[in-house]
Amino acid sequence: MKDETKTKIVKVSGALVHEKNVTDEVLNKIKALEAGGNIFFPQNYSPENALKSAWLKLQDDPKALKCTKGSIANALLDMVVQGLTPAKNQCYFITYGAELKLSRSYMGTVAVTKRLKGIQDVFANVIYADDTFQYKINLENGLKEIVKHDQDFKNIDNNKIVGAYCVIVREGKQNYVEIMNIPQIKAAWGQGAMKGDSPAHKKFPEEMAKKSVINRACKLFFNTSDDSDVLIDAINRATEAEYTTVEDAQISAQNEVEENANSVEIDFDDKPQNDGLTDKEKAAIEAKELEEANAQIEAGF
Amino acid sequence: MNLDLQILGSSSKGNCYLLNTPGETLILECGISYKEIQKDLSFDLKKVLGCIVSHSHSDHSKGIKDLTKRSIDVYSSAGTFTTLGIKSHRAIPVEPLKSFDVGGFRILPFDIQHDAIEPLGYLIEHASFGRLLFVTDTFYLKYKFRRLNYVMIECNYSEEIVNRRYENNEINVSVLKRLFNSHFSLENVKEFFRANDLSKLKGIYLMHLSDGNSDSALFKDEIEKLTGVITNVC
């Protein structure tokens, strides 16, 4: 009995040390980014609390805990940089083999989009069959404009959803509008793991339709935004994790095969060509060395 | 001399092969229970010099603990042993591109591409059979090799079969996404053979065929046509 308690204490303190190491590492990186003016947090966002809540979530997932320390730290860093917290269901963690990745829920997508420079609000509406809906395309800038959307309360019927739209309200610029009809929405659902067949899709198709159009609008927005700060990088990494479809997975695997496969000859006696690195890895190292050398020259060495 | 290979298991249910030479045996993978290995060896472990393991997934590593307990040296990456929590002086960590000897076997481990921690493939040389390449659970090989006499290679699925099953909703999406980044397809195995020196090749063993996504007759036929070498399906 005594021994059991002892083991338990040792185990718990081991987990705490691990937690402290990983979360400290993330907090230190965050402080460095903050000091450099590269990052700002929404009001009332506490990185410490978000990390605590993320760590508690990870405790319930043995697969996640087995991921590499580096990938856990990066996923947590992506979460904090985006100002997200799992406690508000804004994000969750997915394991890909030994890699932990952060994925955003659509609540999280709305929250981070609102934090981009010049964005005031993000909202979405569902269009029902009996609604009056009209839009036009502004030929000056190619943006869509909603001219009319009249909806009677009686029109609301989950069996009669014909589309959905998302409006991103911008400061001093025309609103950005994304519209999808129901076949497009269902095609987007079909890309997900449940192919649009989850209980959520069946019970709350209106919410899932809004989610699809919000994701599409915001995704386009991140990619076309000229804001190149660390926030965008973190947003895009989490978007990637969420949007990996079967086709994406196949294409990215095949790209890697084409770049790296059967490229380095090895044998017992000799050192491998390029020290066992592929041409791409070698080029990356050379580029980095050149960059460092240039930085030293600039610094006056 | 030909390769004397005993196949005790070659699927996701468990992988294990006995590489026999007149006086020495090397176990390749121990993804089946020790009892089964013992049975296939007719309980004669005298010839067994050791076991090499590619990675930590249980269909390749289940028997490590039992082998080490029976004083058999097991060689794999440090990452494999750490992941499995194996601490034994019989669990010997090896590093990619650093060769080592086990009796008359000369072994060169190299890194492969699978969703496990530090997975390895092995180039094995022995006076009795020459050079054997042993590689499983990787979606491609970064390396190529000279003067191979035998190749044991995973040929898990064919893209054509997998794509057809995906269209027909017969395959789980997350399983499929993982497959592309973790296992060798027939198409990529063919690329491997096209890129390597086959001038001394005498035999091919295709391993670890998936139950639903492969066709052993077709795989054997296609590889034989491409290489002109007798191909066995494990």
Side-chain angles (χ1 to χ4, degrees), chain B:
Chain B
M1 202 184 136
N2 286 336
L3 198 67
D4 178 356
L5 189 71
Q6 252 177 288
I7 301 148
L8 313 192
S10 183
S11 73
S12 50
K13 288 188 198 85
N15 295 272
C16 184
Y17 311 85
L18 302 179
L19 183 54
N20 297 312
T21 69
E24 303 175 320
T25 292
L26 184 68
I27 305 177
L28 313 178
E29 312 283 56
C30 53
I32 59 176
S33 72
Y34 177 71
K35 267 189 193 153
E36 287 170 76
I37 301 178
Q38 241 181 347
K39 227 185 325 178
D40 283 290
L41 278 164
S42 312
F43 301 92
D44 179 15
L45 290 154
K46 281 196 301 288
K47 275 175 67 187
V48 175
L49 299 183
C51 170
I52 55 174
V53 173
S54 63
H55 68 290
S56 62
H57 293 161
S58 72
D59 55 328
H60 298 261
S61 67
K62 206 190 286 170
I64 294 184
K65 249 185 200 155
D66 277 341
L67 287 180
T68 56
K69 270 189 214 155
R70 265 80 177 186
S71 303
I72 294 173
D73 289 335
V74 179
Y75 303 84
S76 194
S77 67
T80 299
F81 293 130
T82 324
T83 309
L84 294 169
I86 289 171
K87 284 177 194 149
S88 159
H89 70 285
R90 295 281 175 190
I92 302 165
V94 294
E95 283 177 50
L97 308 183
K98 286 192 180 159
S99 63
F100 60 98
D101 293 328
V102 180
F105 296 98
R106 203 167 166 218
I107 304 170
L108 179 71
F110 51 87
D111 45 304
I112 57 171
Q113 319 298 325
H114 191 57
D115 56 351
I117 312 282
E118 298 170 18
L120 295 173
Y122 299 93
L123 177 63
I124 306 163
E125 204 174 57
H126 192 279
S128 73
F129 58 77
R131 294 182 149 209
L132 161 71
L133 182 75
F134 175 78
V135 60
T136 185
D137 291 58
T138 183
F139 70 109
Y140 69 93
L141 262 186
K142 189 163 113 178
Y143 301 110
K144 53 184 178 178
F145 307 85
R146 265 178 283 169
R147 303 190 316 275
L148 293 171
N149 300 115
Y150 295 94
V151 170
M152 292 174 72
I153 191 164
E154 166 184 35
C155 193
N156 188 269
Y157 68 97
S158 109
E159 279 167 31
E160 215 182 298
I161 296 174
V162 156
N163 285 339
R164 191 178 61 227
R165 292 189 67 209
Y166 173 55
E167 306 264 303
N168 295 338
N169 279 333
E170 289 167 10
I171 191 163
N172 178 299
V173 174
S174 48
V175 169
L176 192 53
K177 282 193 214 169
R178 176 181 174 257
L179 187 64
F180 296 132
N181 288 291
S182 58
H183 287 285
F184 236 134
S185 68
L186 171 67
E187 291 76 3
N188 287 335
V189 168
K190 282 186 181 169
E191 281 310 310
F192 162 82
F193 281 112
R194 285 193 188 104
N196 275 270
D197 169 17
L198 309 182
S199 58
K200 306 269 187 276
L201 194 61
K202 292 196 267 184
I204 297 171
Y205 297 82
L206 301 179
M207 304 184 287
H208 210 311
L209 270 71
S210 144
D211 283 342
N213 303 325
S214 65
D215 177 338
S216 54
L218 175 89
F219 286 16
K220 177 182 157 71
D221 194 45
E222 297 241 324
I223 298 295
E224 270 180 353
K225 254 190 225 154
L226 176 76
T227 58
V229 172
I230 295 170
T231 302
N232 309 282
V233 174
C234 295

Side-chain angles (χ1 to χ4, degrees), chain A residues 230-269:
Chain A
V230 279
L231 175 59
I232 286 285
D233 283 345
I235 288 173
N236 283 332
R237 267 197 302 277
T239 310
E240 262 170 41
E242 188 178 357
Y243 278 84
T244 307
T245 62
V246 168
E247 287 75 9
D248 292 340
Q250 190 164 16
I251 291 165
S252 89
Q254 206 47 43
N255 284 343
E256 191 179 331
V257 172
E258 274 162 29
E259 271 178 33
N260 298 334
N262 316 316
S263 57
V264 184
E265 192 168 277
I266 53 168
D267 211 326
F268 283 104
D269 304 312

